Amino acid sequence: MSAPPSPLPDADVEVLRVRDVSSDALAALLAGHGLQLAHVADDAPIPGSYWGEPEAGLVGTTVHARGDTPVHSLLHEACHLIVMPPERRMHVHTDATDSVPEEDATCCLQIILADAVPGVGRERLMADMDAWGYSFRLGSAKAWFEEDAEDARAFLAERGLPHR
């Protein structure tokens, strides 16, 4: 089982932020899955943020993020939308979780999709997830992804989504 952290860690935790990577690459990745990326001004609240700033937010098929939003957060929220049935996407506002299997598939997919973002990759994303405080049965994102994510991979494969 996996879960995003609560409460949020210190803003000083060293993780890749949206401002550190190609905005075009992030937007293209999301667009490839029928989603939009909305950039939020640095001093503005993030619409649809479940955990609050600087975490990414969801409203419909749009992922909202600021420059200080962690890349893992943007990918996590986007993957919530990607794994859910398309008919649910338009109704999402802030809370996208439907089930534990869907949450696990979201975590697995965010790791996989990190390879599509130049300068990120799955190894860095898993390290950032650990630094931010994600919780996994085997103690780290990497151990979970490599040794315990078969149910999440099956969930993704059944829906025709990347699972390796």
Side-chain angles (χ1 to χ4, degrees), residues 103-128:
E103 182 69 38
D104 288 349
T106 293
C107 287
C108 188
L109 186 59
Q110 82 185 85
I111 292 167
I112 293 165
L113 293 185
D115 286 340
V117 183
V120 181
R122 62 183 65 189
E123 294 294 327
R124 175 59 193 260
L125 191 83
M126 289 185 284
D128 284 1

Side-chain angles (χ1 to χ4, degrees), residues 20-148:
D20 301 326
V21 299
S22 166
S23 179
D24 290 342
L26 291 171
L29 176 62
L30 270 59
H33 293 279
L35 308 176
Q36 299 79 43
L37 174 58
H39 294 280
V40 178
D42 287 342
D43 58 349
I46 299 173
S49 179
Y50 183 82
W51 296 107
E53 288 82 25
E55 296 282 340
L58 297 176
V59 179
T61 58
T62 303
V63 180
H64 298 267
R66 295 190 314 213
D68 65 339
T69 297
V71 172
H72 67 80
S73 175
L74 183 147
L75 290 175
H76 187 86
E77 297 307 323
C79 288
H80 267 299
L81 293 173
I82 294 167
V83 303
M84 74 175 47
E87 60 275 8
R88 277 187 39 220
R89 290 182 184 177
M90 291 306 297
H91 305 288
V92 170
H93 194 299
T94 310
D95 188 1
T97 300
D98 187 47
S99 66
V100 170
E102 194 171 279
E103 182 69 38
D104 288 349
T106 293
C107 287
C108 188
L109 186 59
Q110 82 185 85
I111 292 167
I112 293 165
L113 293 185
D115 286 340
V117 183
V120 181
R122 62 183 65 189
E123 294 294 327
R124 175 59 193 260
L125 191 83
M126 289 185 284
D128 284 1
M129 291 167 74
D130 291 341
W132 201 254
Y134 283 68
S135 174
F136 293 93
R137 284 186 287 245
L138 298 183
S140 74
K142 183 173 180 147
W144 172 79
F145 183 75
E146 293 177 352
E147 302 170 30
D148 194 32

